[in-house]
Amino acid sequence: MDFTLSGESKLMVKAARDFAEQVIEPTAAKIEEEDALPDDILQKLAKARMLGMMIPREYGGVGSTALNVILILEELAKTGSAAAFLMAFCNSVAETIYHWGSEDLRRRFLPPLCDGSSYPAMAFTEPGTGSDPTAITTTALPDGNSYILNGTKRFITQGHKRGFGVFYAKDEDERITAFMVDKSSQGYSWSKPWALMGLAGQGLVDVFLKDVKVPKEDILGEKGRGFHILLRWIAGERVQQMAFMVGMGQACLDESLRYAKERMVGGRPMTAMQGFQWMLAEMHTSIEACRWWTYRVASKQDEGTDIQVDSAALKLFVVPTIQEVARKALQIHGSYGYCKDYKMERLYRTIAHAGVTAGSTEIQKTIVGSALARSKGN
Amino acid sequence: MDIIVCVKQVPETSEIGWDPKTGTLLREGAGGILNPTDKNALEAALQLREEHGGHITALSMGPPQAEEVLREALSMGVDRAVLLSDSLLAGADTLSTSYALGLAVKKVARYDLILCSKESSDGMTAQVGPQLAELLNLPQLTYATEIAVNHNRVRIKQRLEGGFRILETCLPALITVERGINQPRIPPMDSILETYRDREVQVWGAEELGGDKDHFGLKGSPTQARSVYSKRVKRGQVSILEGEPDEVARKLIGILRQRDLLRGLHGT
Amino acid sequence: MAPDGMGKYRGVWVSIEQGDGNPARVSLELLGEGRTLAEELGADVTAILIGEGVSAIAKELIYYGADRVIIADNPIARDYRTEVYTEIIVEQVLKEMPEILLIGATYMGRDLAPRLSARLHTGCTADCTELHIDKEMRLLVATKPYFGRNLMADIICPFHRPQIVTVRPGVMELKAQDRGRKGELISVDVDLREEDVKIKVLDTVKSGPGGVSLEEADKVVVGGMGVGNQAGFEMVKELAHLLGAEVGTTSLPIDEGWISEDYKIGQTGKTIRPRLYIGCGVSGAIQHAAGMINSELVVAINNNPKADIFHFADYGIIGDVNQILPALITELSTVDRKN
């Protein structure tokens, strides 16, 4: 097995690095202050052709791989900004629509996700449920050639920004069906964004659907099979989230190294002290392990393998590992790490999200554990 | 308007080895990046093409791995990329390099303008541009911070110590660009993919170049490194001032006052 | 014994840069250095002076070390243009066959020297920090920092003539002039027609006489990578301002975008000879050291006690630049108020 990155992947990483430095870093403070992503970030991501990476060119995409998305995301994630997530999110929603959508849905919904004219959404969670899929209460009842959707969705990323999203509702058979919903539909409204511990600009809103009309053709995939669509999307999303963690973990290490090389204790820089060297060693080792496993699962995704269990196991490992990296990094920074003037403070807050959003680590344990229990053994 | 841009792969850091026998850098195998100011030259060419149309060729001389920087040039949008690579070309000084590049330019044949960076980040001699211009008998406009082409004339703003000049000449010409001339574009992802999937970097060796082999490589270099050595600058014994920051600050200011170095203080 | 065929080349030449009726200081520095080299070679120093209305400068060139001055005084040479200077110098060089040609590494000098070397098919070595003669081989040995930390290279051009080198302003000491010196003035014709010169100079703009140039500064505060970021450089500037000093930098902060390359001090930047040099977070690697080693008093602030700069500093403070600078600024502001 060849572990070297291809020439094209290396060049993509370089371009992503330049993008992070020239486009995202300069706006990071503003995003933090206003808790909003400027609209031109999406335009610039589109111009850099970082959206629709996994979509074939005929639909406006780039025709590349999940692994390349992960590599780019890792690089952008070093900024610790929600802008990195936006890139990943556009890609994962587009890929889902591509995978399950009819030709008609593909032609209508993919180009706007690739060219920056639409912010996507993936709306499953509700006030009453996140982890329990059967407990959603949003309904979709047939009405002539359409379905009428009613319900409330919670923590919906970009639910308030122009475009459309995939919304999950229980149809007349009480089975979960996925619907393409236009956010400018009559009856579609939203709350103001939730104020989060980190990830400024992520744009998590509650979405209120009051008699929102969706044409029958706009069902994504098969009626009643929405849950499978969601599970598959979540598995890919996990891998992206872990790439984001790896990038931020690396940023924690880079910041810590810089700090420890300059900071003097007892007449020597911190890096001269064994205690700190050991901490740095542990951080580096952790990040490397997380990184390569993430790449491996992304590669499996490209092979077409079902990564439900792999991605859960990955998340189960990466989340606590990188959170520990962040903790060590905070310790190395001392009081400065607690100050808002330092990037470390923002990284620490942002890394805290991964254990609870998009599937808690406890859920991952259940996924892996029950799969093992069901398996026939090696 | 057809343009040739000369680019170079340079070591990423200064942690690169050198051959003690020849005094030349061991480039092959060491990581490399596109010389930063070459990106500015490529961007200048791309902007000129946007305005005037035409064809851009990126040209480089280096070991086989230098193909990477030509791929980068292709992904930024140049039309064609050519790598001059041959063991006979290795170890060249700037004149020998210019000779080989000159042969390649003649082989490309169609050009109105040649763009180079002012200097590469490794050697920093800033010599290849002018030497190449001379070998091709082209007027040279160096240290350009702005370029404008109008029909057959090209005008630049040339940076100088404490000021600038506006120079003009007729095409064909060679221009060397300053780093601040523009902000190089970031290659879009689909362009990068295409570069590796659909496009080719042409490789020319000594045979394809023709010319006089005696002018190639180390053999064809009038200058050579007689020796390379480590040198630490040393000068007497340092006195270390000890104490907390405010204490050492006081000590230092005291020393400066004693030596009459505080005269001309702001406000005094 | 000079290498085969090289024995018939004799003489050290200096190409003179001039402006506003005065020779450039670097040209005078090189005349002094040329004198030293010529003495070792048992040869003469020839200055080649090109321009319009510049003949009056010739005497001064002799005082600074030239034995002969070739003067090409012609309207076509009023502004420096590559083709004009190249044509004139090449014609004279081919006639007189000097063994060495020294050129100041200014913007114009670096435009001219490689062009000459290509036309004459000879070697050109840029930004040399030292020059010696290998008497046995009758060779010029040009020393310059090599790529990498603390590496130097001795460059030679054994089989081609003239051996062309460029040297940055301030690298060679400006020697005192000797107004008793005598020399030969040789006027030469310039056979070029304006219609044959392809480059036109449309405008020349000098930015205002703001501030002292680094090369002539009395005191300089330099920031290196240890400064850490742009905000840190604001402190460096603040300290310089309080001291009445100029600001300088090494190359990496320029790459990081914290400060412009106009402030670079080192082998490929400016060479300074101030009475006071304060290096903040500067490691002291040779590429930078080469540009400031002749400072009278060197003070170094660096948190790495093993940094190279402590080998040639007079006073050292081992500490975090971000703590020491504010302390110095505070102390100086207090002194200020007392005055």
Side-chain angles (χ1 to χ4, degrees):
Chain A
M1 46 181 76
D2 186 0
F3 286 85
T4 48
L5 292 182
S6 67
E8 85 189 25
S9 294
K10 281 195 237 173
L11 211 44
M12 286 186 178
V13 168
K14 242 186 230 175
R17 181 169 311 143
D18 288 341
F19 189 93
E21 278 167 23
Q22 289 171 31
V23 179
I24 302 180
E25 285 285 6
T27 6
K30 183 161 174 249
I31 294 171
E32 199 63 25
E33 204 183 297
E34 295 176 7
D35 194 10
L37 288 178
D39 192 53
D40 68 344
I41 295 266
L42 184 64
Q43 302 321 308
K44 290 184 174 153
L45 284 168
K47 188 154 173 248
R49 303 293 277 136
M50 288 183 187
L51 307 178
M53 290 275 296
M54 294 182 273
I55 307 303
R57 288 188 283 185
E58 65 194 278
Y59 301 107
V62 174
S64 187
T65 60
L67 177 59
N68 279 333
V69 175
I70 256 54
L71 289 168
I72 294 167
L73 176 55
E74 182 187 338
E75 207 52 47
L76 299 183
K78 289 176 186 170
T79 61
S81 171
F85 246 152
L86 178 60
M87 187 278 294
F89 191 47
C90 289
N91 273 285
S92 66
V93 175
E95 195 277 339
T96 301
I97 295 170
Y98 172 71
H99 187 85
W100 300 98
S102 62
E103 187 59 26
D104 170 59
L105 285 189
R106 284 174 174 183
R107 293 217 172 273
R108 285 163 52 209
F109 292 108
L110 292 179
L113 282 180
C114 297
D115 67 17
S117 47
S118 168
Y119 284 87
M122 184 64 76
F124 172 79
T125 306
E126 295 180 358
T129 181
S131 308
D132 180 3
T134 55
I136 63 168
T137 59
T138 302
T139 54
L141 299 174
D143 178 27
N145 282 330
S146 324
Y147 273 83
I148 307 294
L149 269 61
N150 275 286
T152 303
K153 293 296 187 188
R154 170 148 290 174
F155 299 146
I156 305 307
T157 307
Q158 313 296 348
H160 58 323
K161 295 261 193 85
R162 69 169 185 278
F164 45 81
V166 180
F167 279 69
Y168 298 86
K170 274 196 180 151
D171 62 19
E172 72 276 28
D173 302 321
E174 296 274 312
R175 296 176 62 216
I176 298 175
T177 298
F179 295 88
M180 298 301 305
V181 175
D182 187 332
K183 297 175 198 169
S184 62
S185 300
Q186 179 117 51
Y188 184 110
S189 63
W190 55 80
S191 71
K192 71 178 192 347
W194 286 76
L196 306 174
M197 185 191 284
L199 282 179
Q202 179 75 341
L204 293 190
V205 298
D206 283 359
V207 173
F208 311 110
L209 303 170
K210 178 124 173 66
D211 296 330
V212 172
K213 203 164 175 181
V214 177
K216 276 204 168 98
E217 305 78 68
D218 287 1
I219 289 178
L220 180 65
E222 247 182 77
K223 183 172 170 311
R225 296 270 299 167
F227 186 53
H228 293 274
I229 296 173
L230 178 68
L231 281 189
R232 186 180 170 281
W233 173 80
I234 286 183
E237 221 261 352
R238 269 180 218 137
V239 187
Q240 288 186 340
Q241 192 183 32
M242 294 310 101
F244 189 71
M245 290 290 273
V246 170
M248 283 199 293
Q250 186 63 50
C252 284
L253 178 56
D254 292 342
E255 291 293 308
S256 299
L257 262 173
R258 193 174 317 181
Y259 184 87
K261 279 182 182 169
E262 287 170 9
R263 179 75 180 176
M264 299 286 291
V265 181
R268 291 188 296 164
M270 283 166 75
T271 41
M273 299 166 81
Q274 190 176 62
F276 291 113
Q277 283 181 11
W278 284 9
M279 284 169 84
L280 294 165
E282 285 160 1
M283 290 161 78
H284 169 77
T285 314
S286 298
I287 296 166
E288 277 296 289
C290 292
R291 168 178 290 134
W292 287 98
W293 193 358
T294 304
Y295 294 171
R296 174 65 189 120
V297 181
S299 299
K300 265 191 158 175
Q301 203 179 347
D302 286 323
E303 285 161 20
T305 318
D306 175 6
I307 52 161
Q308 199 59 236
V309 178
D310 281 289
S311 60
L314 176 69
K315 181 160 178 171
L316 191 52
F317 179 76
V318 172
V319 169
T321 306
I322 299 292
Q323 286 181 338
E324 175 58 16
V325 167
R327 191 200 65 79
K328 288 192 168 84
L330 186 63
Q331 287 302 111
I332 287 173
H333 277 74
S335 292
Y336 291 99
Y338 208 68
C339 296
K340 285 200 179 286
D341 282 341
Y342 280 69
K343 188 174 179 179
M344 188 58 230
E345 186 268 343
R346 179 159 57 86
L347 288 171
Y348 189 79
R349 281 189 287 114
T350 310
I351 283 171
H353 87 286
V356 294
T357 65
S360 64
T361 37
E362 288 71 24
I363 291 291
Q364 311 313 320
K365 275 193 209 180
T366 304
I367 294 173
V368 180
S370 54
L372 286 170
R374 280 194 314 266
S375 77
K376 297 191 169 86
N378 274 333
Chain B
M1 196 182 72
D2 297 329
I3 306 176
I4 299 178
V5 184
C6 295
V7 303
K8 183 181 182 189
Q9 184 182 53
V10 297
E12 184 149 18
T13 63
S14 56
E15 306 306 323
I16 185 174
W18 42 274
D19 182 345
K21 274 206 314 277
T22 61
T24 57
L25 291 181
L26 294 169
R27 295 182 186 277
E28 187 143 11
I33 55 168
L34 177 57
N35 175 38
T37 316
D38 287 346
K39 278 199 208 163
N40 298 106
L42 287 165
E43 176 63 29
L46 290 162
Q47 286 182 14
L48 285 168
R49 187 183 65 186
E50 270 157 24
E51 208 185 319
H52 303 275
H55 184 277
I56 304 173
T57 303
L59 177 62
S60 187
M61 185 175 103
Q65 72 191 52
E67 184 188 307
E68 281 166 19
V69 301
L70 286 167
R71 296 249 177 223
E72 203 171 335
L74 283 169
S75 66
M76 280 175 78
V78 308
D79 301 289
R80 179 187 184 193
V82 177
L83 173 66
L84 310 181
S85 191
D86 195 310
S87 52
L88 284 175
L89 298 172
D93 72 356
T94 58
L95 190 64
S96 176
T97 302
S98 304
Y99 178 74
L101 288 173
L103 291 172
V105 166
K106 286 188 188 135
K107 205 168 138 82
V108 167
R110 222 175 73 222
Y111 63 92
D112 300 293
L113 193 57
I114 303 183
L115 294 181
C116 306
S117 64
K118 122 178 133 178
E119 67 195 1
S120 64
S121 63
D122 50 3
M124 296 189 95
T125 62
Q127 290 181 174
V128 169
Q131 285 174 336
L132 180 60
E134 169 61 28
L135 293 176
L136 294 170
N137 195 25
L138 296 175
Q140 74 193 43
L141 300 176
T142 54
Y143 302 106
T145 58
E146 279 171 34
I147 302 175
V149 172
N150 205 342
H151 295 106
N152 204 33
R153 314 261 324 149
V154 61
R155 198 181 279 203
I156 69 154
K157 189 169 176 181
Q158 178 185 59
R159 187 178 180 190
L160 293 179
E161 285 88 358
F164 59 88
R165 302 196 298 176
I166 308 291
L167 302 179
E168 190 183 273
T169 193
C170 52
L171 298 177
L174 182 144
I175 298 177
T176 74
V177 310
E178 283 270 317
R179 191 141 173 191
I181 188 175
N182 54 40
Q183 171 78 286
R185 64 195 61 188
I186 298 176
M189 299 299 144
D190 55 352
S191 198
I192 293 173
L193 245 190
E194 252 172 60
T195 299
Y196 279 90
R197 184 172 46 203
D198 302 327
R199 313 192 56 196
E200 201 193 278
V201 170
Q202 280 180 284
V203 182
W204 293 346
E207 284 307 317
E208 280 93 339
L209 282 179
D212 181 353
K213 292 206 174 38
D214 286 339
H215 286 325
F216 289 157
L218 191 59
K219 197 161 166 215
S221 304
T223 61
Q224 46 190 254
R226 185 160 85 166
S227 58
V228 178
Y229 47 94
S230 195
K231 178 167 173 172
R232 277 197 154 64
V233 181
K234 244 189 142 33
R235 192 181 102 153
Q237 187 68 0
V238 62
S239 285
I240 301 289
L241 304 176
E242 314 239 282
E244 288 300 306
D246 51 343
E247 219 181 303
V248 294
R250 242 172 296 136
K251 284 184 184 172
L252 179 60
I253 301 301
I255 290 166
L256 296 184
R257 182 181 298 111
Q258 226 179 26
R259 294 187 175 227
D260 197 27
L261 285 166
L262 289 188
R263 204 110 56 98
L265 264 191
H266 171 62
T268 68
Chain C
M1 264 302 286
D4 269 348
M6 301 294 111
K8 56 186 191 272
Y9 293 88
R10 295 275 149 155
V12 178
W13 282 31
V14 179
S15 170
I16 304 296
E17 186 170 325
Q18 47 73 25
D20 297 331
N22 289 311
R25 190 185 151 118
V26 64
S27 303
L28 300 178
E29 290 163 1
L30 290 180
L31 280 172
E33 178 66 15
R35 176 93 254 123
T36 307
L37 298 172
E39 246 136 57
E40 282 201 72
L41 290 164
D44 278 349
V45 175
T46 302
I48 177 154
L49 174 64
I50 305 171
E52 188 194 20
V54 293
S55 312
I57 295 175
K59 274 234 176 67
E60 201 178 342
L61 301 176
I62 294 175
Y63 299 154
Y64 276 95
D67 298 301
R68 310 156 69 225
V69 183
I70 296 176
I71 308 166
D73 195 321
N74 192 294
I76 205 173
R78 189 191 60 190
D79 295 311
Y80 167 78
R81 285 181 292 180
T82 323
E83 310 149 81
V84 173
Y85 277 54
T86 304
E87 281 284 333
I88 296 171
I89 295 176
V90 165
E91 188 184 330
Q92 297 305 319
V93 163
L94 289 175
K95 217 166 72 177
E96 312 248 357
M97 298 176 45
E99 55 199 307
I100 290 171
L101 173 58
L102 306 178
I103 304 182
T106 59
Y107 278 94
M108 288 180 189
R110 298 172 96 220
D111 177 283
L112 174 64
R115 189 99 194 189
L116 286 170
S117 81
R119 188 163 305 182
L120 293 165
H121 194 77
T122 184
C124 185
T125 306
D127 302 330
C128 307
T129 50
E130 276 168 52
L131 297 170
H132 333 272
I133 301 293
D134 175 334
K135 275 205 173 114
E136 202 191 307
M137 302 280 289
R138 204 182 171 93
L139 269 183
L140 176 65
V141 179
T143 304
K144 58 183 282 184
Y146 200 56
F147 188 73
R149 289 183 77 76
N150 287 315
L151 288 182
M152 301 289 283
D154 286 345
I155 312 285
I156 55 172
C157 177
F159 301 113
H160 298 81
R161 291 294 179 271
Q163 304 157 90
I164 304 180
V165 301
T166 71
V167 180
R168 293 227 172 196
V171 170
M172 302 297 173
E173 209 187 312
L174 178 66
K175 306 218 174 88
Q177 50 175 321
D178 174 0
R179 296 185 75 88
R181 286 199 88 244
K182 301 267 184 281
E184 199 188 336
L185 301 181
I186 304 153
S187 279
V188 297
D189 291 324
V190 176
D191 247 328
L192 293 168
R193 298 174 311 160
E194 184 58 40
E195 49 267 37
D196 293 331
V197 181
K198 297 200 190 123
I199 294 180
K200 308 293 172 197
V201 180
L202 300 183
D203 199 3
T204 304
V205 177
K206 293 236 186 305
S207 16
V212 169
S213 78
L214 268 173
E215 287 98 328
E216 278 147 51
D218 187 47
K219 302 179 233 181
V220 183
V221 180
V222 173
M225 266 316 262
V227 168
N229 52 41
Q230 188 129 24
F233 260 89
E234 294 308 315
M235 282 202 292
V236 171
K237 289 180 184 168
E238 172 77 24
L239 177 63
H241 179 68
L242 288 170
L243 284 171
E246 297 299 314
V247 175
T249 185
T250 61
S251 26
L252 291 169
I254 297 167
D255 291 341
E256 292 288 324
W258 301 336
I259 185 171
S260 100
E261 69 179 293
D262 290 331
Y263 296 89
K264 181 159 71 167
I265 293 173
Q267 183 237 349
T268 54
K270 303 191 161 102
T271 298
I272 58 176
R273 294 165 178 271
R275 284 193 304 141
L276 172 64
Y277 167 99
I278 301 182
C280 308
V282 171
S283 69
I286 194 95
Q287 284 78 6
H288 171 67
M292 50 61 66
I293 194 59
N294 289 308
S295 309
E296 262 176 55
L297 186 73
V298 176
V299 178
I301 306 167
N302 195 303
N303 63 18
N304 179 4
K306 295 214 173 91
D308 293 315
I309 197 166
F310 291 121
H311 292 145
F312 54 89
D314 299 296
Y315 288 98
I317 296 174
I318 299 176
D320 182 352
V321 163
N322 289 297
Q323 294 192 311
I324 307 293
L325 277 177
L328 282 169
I329 289 168
T330 306
E331 182 64 24
L332 277 170
S333 308
T334 327
V335 169
D336 218 358
R337 266 178 262 128
K338 283 197 208 132
N339 284 351

